[in-house]
Amino acid sequence: MTNQKRWKGFLWILPSLFGTIIFYCVPLMDVIRRSVTENAGSAFVGLKNFQTVFENTASQLAAKNTLRFIAICIPLLLSLSLLLAVVIMRCRWGNFYKSAMLLPMALPAVSVALIWKLLFHNHGVLNGVLTLIGLQTTDWLNSGASFWVLVLSYLWRNIGYDMVLWIAGLQQIENDIYEAARVDGAGEIRIFFWIILPNMKQVFYTVAVLSLLNSFKVFREAYLVAGNYPHESMYLMQHLFNNWFAALSLDKMSAASVLLGMVILLMIILLHRAWGNDLC
């Protein structure tokens, strides 16, 4: 490739590169700068903001709930979506089911929030059904059950998307492998554990990273359903950032953002070391 062609290629990507620097890199550098300065952003305070974040009870609660949410939701989402993908691949109406499972992602967040309020309000549909059959009702959105409502919301909204990703990986496995396994007497369970899972390593890394990133988007529904200060069981890091931003506590918010970014990056690195090396 000549130098002239190299410069032409660079000129083509220059607008996107310039936009990335302006709208991503510069704000990121500003967040890092504010994390080690006072709220006004002028005086250097070192690690004081990070110490404040660690000692803050609200940030401790938010971090605990966020880690708990990720630890429960990601394994559930990956396993359930993979099982659904395997089942739908063998269904006659597979394309119809795929479209139906993707429908939750097409719904606006406000509509989803209204559905959850209709179902899980103290005087909502679910408690009405429980009353009719003689069971005890629960204040779903103002008790410890609100965390599981949030988990259900995340799974319901993202399971179809992950399922489609798994299906794309399953379609890369040759039918001859399945037929050879069945000829040798392997049942569906053995085929799943000895053929499907080993061939899904590359797809697993992609689906796991996307699921991790999507888990931080659940705040929209939680905020619309329960507001700035929901029940403590569903108080996440996103609520903390939103409240600190409203209070203009930019120093604490920046320090917490840097810490959260480091944790997410560490998770992605660990996933890559465990599963992503097969991509190379």
Side-chain angles (χ1 to χ4, degrees):
M1 182 182 294
T2 63
N3 290 332
Q4 185 179 3
K5 289 184 177 179
R6 288 196 184 98
W7 279 108
K8 283 184 179 180
F10 178 76
L11 291 175
W12 279 109
I13 68 170
L14 188 60
S16 297
L17 180 62
F18 184 75
T20 301
I21 293 173
I22 295 297
F23 296 107
Y24 288 93
C25 296
V26 172
L28 176 61
M29 293 299 104
D30 185 62
V31 168
I32 295 175
R33 180 185 66 84
R34 288 181 180 275
S35 69
V36 293
T37 59
E38 64 178 6
N39 199 26
S42 56
F44 179 77
V45 294
L47 300 179
K48 181 180 178 181
N49 293 330
F50 295 94
Q51 181 181 356
T52 302
V53 170
F54 278 117
E55 295 175 351
N56 186 276
T57 55
S59 63
Q60 292 173 4
L61 175 64
K64 182 187 73 174
N65 288 337
T66 302
L67 291 175
R68 179 189 177 202
F69 180 79
I70 292 174
I72 291 175
C73 285
I74 301 301
L76 275 177
L77 180 62
L78 294 177
S79 56
L80 291 177
S81 59
L82 177 57
L83 289 174
L84 277 174
V86 173
V87 171
I88 287 179
M89 282 283 290
R90 288 162 170 73
C91 286
R92 183 178 180 183
W93 301 96
N95 290 331
F96 170 77
Y97 292 130
K98 281 193 291 185
S99 301
M101 294 298 293
L102 282 172
L103 183 61
M105 291 203 70
L107 295 176
V110 176
S111 301
V112 175
L114 289 175
I115 293 173
W116 293 142
K117 281 189 175 181
L118 180 66
L119 287 175
F120 297 106
H121 192 270
N122 194 27
H123 302 289
V125 174
L126 186 55
N127 276 342
V129 173
L130 292 176
T131 302
L132 287 176
I133 61 179
L135 297 178
Q136 184 178 1
T137 61
T138 302
D139 192 357
W140 299 96
L141 299 178
N142 294 297
S143 65
S146 60
F147 175 81
W148 299 105
V149 173
L150 196 63
V151 170
L152 178 64
S153 173
Y154 171 76
L155 294 176
W156 175 77
R157 194 170 180 86
N158 292 279
I159 196 168
Y161 177 69
D162 282 16
M163 181 194 68
V164 171
L165 296 178
W166 286 120
I167 290 176
L170 290 170
Q171 290 174 341
Q172 303 302 314
I173 303 176
E174 298 291 339
N175 288 328
D176 295 342
I177 301 177
Y178 294 121
E179 293 174 2
R182 292 189 178 96
V183 169
D184 290 338
E188 294 300 322
I189 295 179
R190 286 193 174 183
I191 289 175
F192 179 80
F193 283 102
W194 294 100
I195 295 178
I196 293 178
L197 286 184
N199 284 279
M200 289 291 102
K201 286 184 178 180
Q202 296 181 4
V203 182
F204 176 85
Y205 172 72
T206 302
V207 177
V209 171
L210 291 175
S211 300
L212 175 64
L213 297 179
N214 286 332
S215 67
F216 291 94
K217 299 179 182 179
V218 75
F219 169 71
R220 296 173 299 180
E221 290 82 1
Y223 177 78
L224 291 171
V225 168
N228 291 333
Y229 297 96
H231 187 268
E232 63 176 19
S233 65
M234 63 183 297
Y235 188 78
L236 304 177
M237 291 297 296
Q238 296 92 320
H239 292 93
L240 184 72
F241 291 152
N242 181 73
N243 295 336
W244 276 349
F245 181 79
L248 295 180
S249 300
L250 301 182
D251 50 350
K252 292 188 293 184
M253 187 177 68
S254 298
S257 300
V258 171
L259 291 172
L260 181 61
M262 293 172 62
V263 171
I264 295 174
L265 182 60
L266 178 61
M267 290 181 178
I268 294 176
I269 291 174
L270 292 176
L271 285 172
H272 186 269
R273 289 181 63 87
W275 303 95
N277 290 330
D278 293 332
L279 297 174
C280 301

